[in-house]
Structure formats: structure tokens, C-alpha cells
Amino acid sequence: MQLPLPRRPDRDAVLVAAAGLLGGVLLYALGLRSTPALPLPPWLALAALAVMAGAELLRRSAPLAALAVGTCALVLDVCSGSLIANVGMFTDLVYAAVLYGPQAAYRFIPRATEVLTVLGTLLAVALIRKPDALLVGIALGLITIAPAWTGVGVRVHRDAARSARLAAERTALLAELDRREAVGAERARMARELHDMVAGHLSAIAIHSTAALSIGEAETSREALAVIRENSVQGLAEMRRLITLLRTGEDVPAATPTLDGLDTLLEQARGAVPDEGRFRFVLHDGRGPGPLPAPVELAAYRIVQESLTNAVKHAAPGEVTVRLSRTADGPLTVSVTSPLGDDRPAPRAPGSGAGLVGMRERVALLGGRLETGPQGDGAAYWEIRAELPVESEEKP
């Protein structure tokens, strides 16, 4: 397995290495170096300088390896006559190892420098037995403890800044997701409202215009045109309100439909059928006397409205029944049945299925249940049945 090669040294590492190397050569040429600890050739200080400068090139890409090489170079430097440039570059290697090294080195190196300084000071005191030995401890602290804890401080602030930046990015991402979800929910709501308020009028217009074109009787055409005009005016009024809401964000006041208006809704459904006697619309209201929450009433009204529109377009001749029922502290049940049969006509107005989708969304928002499909022996009728939970308001 081939180990990955260290990345190329960055610009700062090259500048530090070059400055340290040139400075050390200048100091050596001027004879500015300390007394050797061992009788070694003085040129070894230059060798230590070159090794230390090479270690500086790895300060960012391989900080622990650079510190190990630099430590060996510093020992050779002290033994052959120390150059201040070597000492300065070594402190930078300690700083870089804490700042750029792994978490283990970040925690271990500062403690190791403290232990090394204490042991070095005790050893100097034991060997020299003079107060001057304390200067050894001070020097060790300056070239090990000071850069190590400086690196700790810088790393703490860097990590805090990075965490704050990540938290800000995460907050911005969550805010964007919330915004998109809110926009999607608002679009779905507007689509439901647009369909529920306008689709019925347009269906009536389509049905009556078809009747006026196919029958060819003047009186029938006159009645059909009257219904077409009435539904056109109502549809335009609803469209105007929605367009105003979308453009300005200010809703035009409009009466919220309630279940008390179901009689009017059934009357409108009767008027939407050009051939009288084809349907009989019957309402069985078993809600009870208690009030219902406004969202439940609106959802139930819209479900009945869409169900009647579908019955006018698709049902066979017969009785269309709207039934409301509710037990004590139970859900409100809305059921609309329409007949099925062989004489069921082809749809007299095009549909896209958006009405059923809107009903399911309304019921889901209230945590209820919706069932649709043929019922009875031999699938005699089509039923739309919705159960809408009613939360009881507890008085304190």
C-alpha cells in the first residue's frame, strides 16, 4: 500500500524557511552563536540550520514530522554552538504542530512542554547548583511552553470561528428549506382554493354551453346563457380576489362559507343541470346543535361542493344524497352518494382529478380520513366519505 505524499509546502512555509536559513547563515558569518555544549566542529551548526529550514517546509503539511526533525536539529545546534535562527524556527515548529496537528497532538504537546521544562530546570539545578540554573528553565519555557500555548489559543479561536460559520450555514440551509416548504404549502393551498372556488363555475359553464349547442331550442338556450353568465360573473369575482391576493399579499374580504350554506349549494347544483328532473339533491343534516371549528366547517363545505360538481359531471340519473352526522365528541362525517348505472353519461366537462387531490389534502391537514369509490350491491352508487376530527374546547 502506497502512503500518500505530503502536499507541497505553502507560501508561508517557504518564506519562514528562507528567512531562517538566510538569517542563520548571516549570524554564523558574523560569529554570533553560543558556546558549544560539546567539542564538535562549528560547521555542524550550519548543518543543523539546513535541516531546521527543511523541517519548516513541512510545518503545515506534516507538522508532527517537522517537529521531530526540528528537535533533532535543535539538539545538534546546541551541541555545536547554537544559532538564534535555529531556536526561532524551532519555536515556530512547536506552534505549527499544535495549530495544524491532530487533536491528540493538540492536547499532548502543551503538557509535554511543561513536563520537559520542569525536568530540564531540575536537571540544570542538580548539575550546576547555582541560581543561574533557573535561566535554563526560563529558556526552555520560552522556546517550548510559550509557542505551544500560543498555538492552543489560536486553534481554539479558529475552531470556534469554524463552528460559528458552520452553524450559520446550517441555520441558513434550514431557513431556506423552511422557506421552500412554506412556499410549497402556500402554492398547494392556493391551488386548492382556486380549484374549489372556480372549478364549479367553469364546469357549469361547460355543461350549459354544451346543452345550448346540442338542443337548439331558443328557451333552453336562453336559460343556459343565463346560467353561464351567472357562473362567469361569480368565477370572475373569485379570480379577481385571488389575483389581488397574489399581487399585493392583501386578501380581499370575503365571506367564509359554512355548512349553513349547504341548501344554497344544493340549489346551485340543481341549476347547473340543464335537463330538469335528471337529479334529485337531498340533504340530511345530522351535525347536532353544537358549533364546529371554522377549519372543519370550511373543509366539509369544500368537500360537499367538489362532490356535487363531480356528481353533476359524471353521475347517472337519480338521487344525490348529502349526509352530515356527528356523535357526541366524535368526528364529523361527511358523505355524498351519487348513482351509478349503465345510462351513466360520458363526462360533460373535462376533469383532471385535482378535486380528489384537494379533498385528500384538506382531510389530511385536519388529521382525518377520506374514502372514495363504488359502494352497494353491484356498485350501485358512488360514495365520497370523509371523517373530520373535531377537537373539543375544554373550558378552564
Side-chain angles (χ1 to χ4, degrees), residues 65-92:
L67 179 59
V69 173
T71 302
C72 296
L74 182 66
V75 172
L76 180 60
D77 176 72
V78 172
C79 292
S80 59
S82 182
L83 293 170
I84 192 64
N86 277 329
V87 177
M89 286 191 288
F90 179 78
T91 59
D92 180 69

Short mmCIF file of all heavy atoms in Angstrom, two decimals, residues 65-92:
data_model
loop_
_atom_site.label_atom_id
_atom_site.label_comp_id
_atom_site.label_asym_id
_atom_site.label_seq_id
_atom_site.Cartn_x
_atom_site.Cartn_y
_atom_site.Cartn_z
N ALA A 65 5.95 15.42 11.96
CA ALA A 65 7.24 15.01 11.41
C ALA A 65 8.22 16.18 11.43
O ALA A 65 9.41 16.01 11.74
CB ALA A 65 7.06 14.46 10.00
N ALA A 66 7.73 17.37 11.09
CA ALA A 66 8.59 18.55 11.11
C ALA A 66 9.11 18.83 12.51
O ALA A 66 10.28 19.19 12.71
CB ALA A 66 7.82 19.75 10.57
N LEU A 67 8.24 18.65 13.54
CA LEU A 67 8.67 18.89 14.91
C LEU A 67 9.72 17.87 15.34
O LEU A 67 10.69 18.21 16.04
CB LEU A 67 7.46 18.84 15.85
CG LEU A 67 7.75 19.06 17.34
CD1 LEU A 67 8.40 20.42 17.57
CD2 LEU A 67 6.48 18.91 18.17
N ALA A 68 9.55 16.61 14.95
CA ALA A 68 10.53 15.58 15.30
C ALA A 68 11.88 15.87 14.66
O ALA A 68 12.94 15.80 15.33
CB ALA A 68 10.01 14.21 14.86
N VAL A 69 11.89 16.24 13.38
CA VAL A 69 13.14 16.57 12.70
C VAL A 69 13.75 17.83 13.32
O VAL A 69 14.98 17.92 13.54
CB VAL A 69 12.90 16.76 11.19
CG1 VAL A 69 14.16 17.27 10.49
CG2 VAL A 69 12.45 15.44 10.57
N GLY A 70 12.92 18.82 13.62
CA GLY A 70 13.41 20.05 14.22
C GLY A 70 14.01 19.83 15.59
O GLY A 70 14.99 20.50 15.98
N THR A 71 13.45 18.91 16.37
CA THR A 71 14.00 18.62 17.70
C THR A 71 15.42 18.05 17.59
O THR A 71 16.33 18.44 18.32
CB THR A 71 13.08 17.64 18.44
OG1 THR A 71 11.76 18.21 18.55
CG2 THR A 71 13.62 17.33 19.83
N CYS A 72 15.59 17.13 16.63
CA CYS A 72 16.94 16.57 16.41
C CYS A 72 17.91 17.66 15.96
O CYS A 72 19.07 17.72 16.41
CB CYS A 72 16.87 15.45 15.38
SG CYS A 72 15.89 14.02 15.91
N ALA A 73 17.46 18.53 15.07
CA ALA A 73 18.31 19.62 14.60
C ALA A 73 18.66 20.58 15.72
O ALA A 73 19.80 21.10 15.80
CB ALA A 73 17.63 20.36 13.46
N LEU A 74 17.71 20.82 16.65
CA LEU A 74 17.99 21.73 17.76
C LEU A 74 19.03 21.12 18.71
O LEU A 74 19.91 21.84 19.21
CB LEU A 74 16.70 22.02 18.52
CG LEU A 74 16.84 23.00 19.69
CD1 LEU A 74 17.21 24.39 19.19
CD2 LEU A 74 15.55 23.06 20.51
N VAL A 75 18.96 19.83 18.96
CA VAL A 75 19.95 19.17 19.81
C VAL A 75 21.34 19.30 19.20
O VAL A 75 22.34 19.63 19.87
CB VAL A 75 19.58 17.70 20.03
CG1 VAL A 75 20.70 16.95 20.75
CG2 VAL A 75 18.28 17.58 20.83
N LEU A 76 21.43 19.05 17.88
CA LEU A 76 22.71 19.20 17.19
C LEU A 76 23.19 20.64 17.24
O LEU A 76 24.39 20.92 17.42
CB LEU A 76 22.58 18.73 15.75
CG LEU A 76 23.84 18.83 14.87
CD1 LEU A 76 24.97 17.97 15.45
CD2 LEU A 76 23.51 18.43 13.44
N ASP A 77 22.27 21.58 17.13
CA ASP A 77 22.62 23.00 17.16
C ASP A 77 23.18 23.40 18.52
O ASP A 77 24.17 24.11 18.61
CB ASP A 77 21.38 23.83 16.83
CG ASP A 77 21.62 25.32 16.93
OD1 ASP A 77 22.32 25.87 16.07
OD2 ASP A 77 21.11 25.93 17.90
N VAL A 78 22.54 22.95 19.60
CA VAL A 78 23.01 23.29 20.95
C VAL A 78 24.39 22.68 21.21
O VAL A 78 25.28 23.31 21.81
CB VAL A 78 21.99 22.83 21.99
CG1 VAL A 78 22.54 23.00 23.41
CG2 VAL A 78 20.69 23.60 21.84
N CYS A 79 24.60 21.48 20.71
CA CYS A 79 25.87 20.81 20.97
C CYS A 79 27.02 21.43 20.17
O CYS A 79 28.19 21.39 20.59
CB CYS A 79 25.76 19.32 20.63
SG CYS A 79 24.66 18.41 21.74
N SER A 80 26.71 22.04 19.03
CA SER A 80 27.78 22.58 18.17
C SER A 80 27.87 24.10 18.21
O SER A 80 28.62 24.68 17.43
CB SER A 80 27.56 22.12 16.72
OG SER A 80 26.30 22.57 16.25
N GLY A 81 27.12 24.74 19.07
CA GLY A 81 27.14 26.20 19.14
C GLY A 81 25.87 26.76 18.53
O GLY A 81 25.74 26.86 17.31
N SER A 82 24.90 27.12 19.37
CA SER A 82 23.54 27.43 18.92
C SER A 82 23.47 28.75 18.18
O SER A 82 24.09 29.75 18.55
CB SER A 82 22.61 27.46 20.13
OG SER A 82 21.29 27.71 19.72
N LEU A 83 22.64 28.74 17.12
CA LEU A 83 22.29 29.95 16.38
C LEU A 83 20.87 30.35 16.75
O LEU A 83 19.97 29.50 16.83
CB LEU A 83 22.38 29.71 14.87
CG LEU A 83 23.79 29.45 14.30
CD1 LEU A 83 23.70 29.00 12.85
CD2 LEU A 83 24.64 30.70 14.41
N ILE A 84 20.65 31.63 16.99
CA ILE A 84 19.33 32.10 17.38
C ILE A 84 18.29 31.82 16.30
O ILE A 84 17.10 31.65 16.59
CB ILE A 84 19.39 33.62 17.73
CG1 ILE A 84 18.08 34.05 18.42
CG2 ILE A 84 19.62 34.43 16.47
CD1 ILE A 84 17.87 33.37 19.74
N ALA A 85 18.72 31.73 15.04
CA ALA A 85 17.78 31.42 13.95
C ALA A 85 17.22 30.01 14.11
O ALA A 85 16.03 29.77 13.85
CB ALA A 85 18.49 31.56 12.60
N ASN A 86 18.04 29.06 14.54
CA ASN A 86 17.55 27.71 14.78
C ASN A 86 16.53 27.67 15.90
O ASN A 86 15.49 27.00 15.82
CB ASN A 86 18.72 26.78 15.12
CG ASN A 86 19.42 26.27 13.87
OD1 ASN A 86 18.79 26.10 12.83
ND2 ASN A 86 20.73 26.05 13.96
N VAL A 87 16.82 28.43 16.97
CA VAL A 87 15.89 28.48 18.09
C VAL A 87 14.56 29.09 17.66
O VAL A 87 13.47 28.61 18.00
CB VAL A 87 16.50 29.27 19.26
CG1 VAL A 87 15.50 29.39 20.41
CG2 VAL A 87 17.78 28.60 19.75
N GLY A 88 14.63 30.17 16.87
CA GLY A 88 13.40 30.81 16.41
C GLY A 88 12.56 29.89 15.53
O GLY A 88 11.34 29.82 15.66
N MET A 89 13.23 29.17 14.60
CA MET A 89 12.47 28.25 13.75
C MET A 89 11.90 27.08 14.54
O MET A 89 10.82 26.57 14.23
CB MET A 89 13.36 27.74 12.61
CG MET A 89 13.62 28.79 11.52
SD MET A 89 14.41 28.12 10.03
CE MET A 89 16.07 27.83 10.67
N PHE A 90 12.60 26.64 15.59
CA PHE A 90 12.07 25.54 16.41
C PHE A 90 10.79 25.97 17.13
O PHE A 90 9.83 25.19 17.22
CB PHE A 90 13.12 25.09 17.42
CG PHE A 90 12.64 23.98 18.30
CD1 PHE A 90 12.58 22.68 17.85
CD2 PHE A 90 12.22 24.25 19.61
CE1 PHE A 90 12.13 21.66 18.67
CE2 PHE A 90 11.76 23.23 20.42
CZ PHE A 90 11.71 21.93 19.96
N THR A 91 10.77 27.19 17.67
CA THR A 91 9.54 27.66 18.32
C THR A 91 8.38 27.70 17.33
O THR A 91 7.24 27.39 17.68
CB THR A 91 9.75 29.06 18.93
OG1 THR A 91 10.13 29.98 17.90
CG2 THR A 91 10.85 29.02 19.99
N ASP A 92 8.67 28.05 16.08
CA ASP A 92 7.61 28.05 15.07
C ASP A 92 7.12 26.64 14.79
O ASP A 92 5.93 26.43 14.55
CB ASP A 92 8.12 28.70 13.78
CG ASP A 92 7.06 28.73 12.69
OD1 ASP A 92 6.07 29.49 12.85
OD2 ASP A 92 7.20 27.97 11.70
#
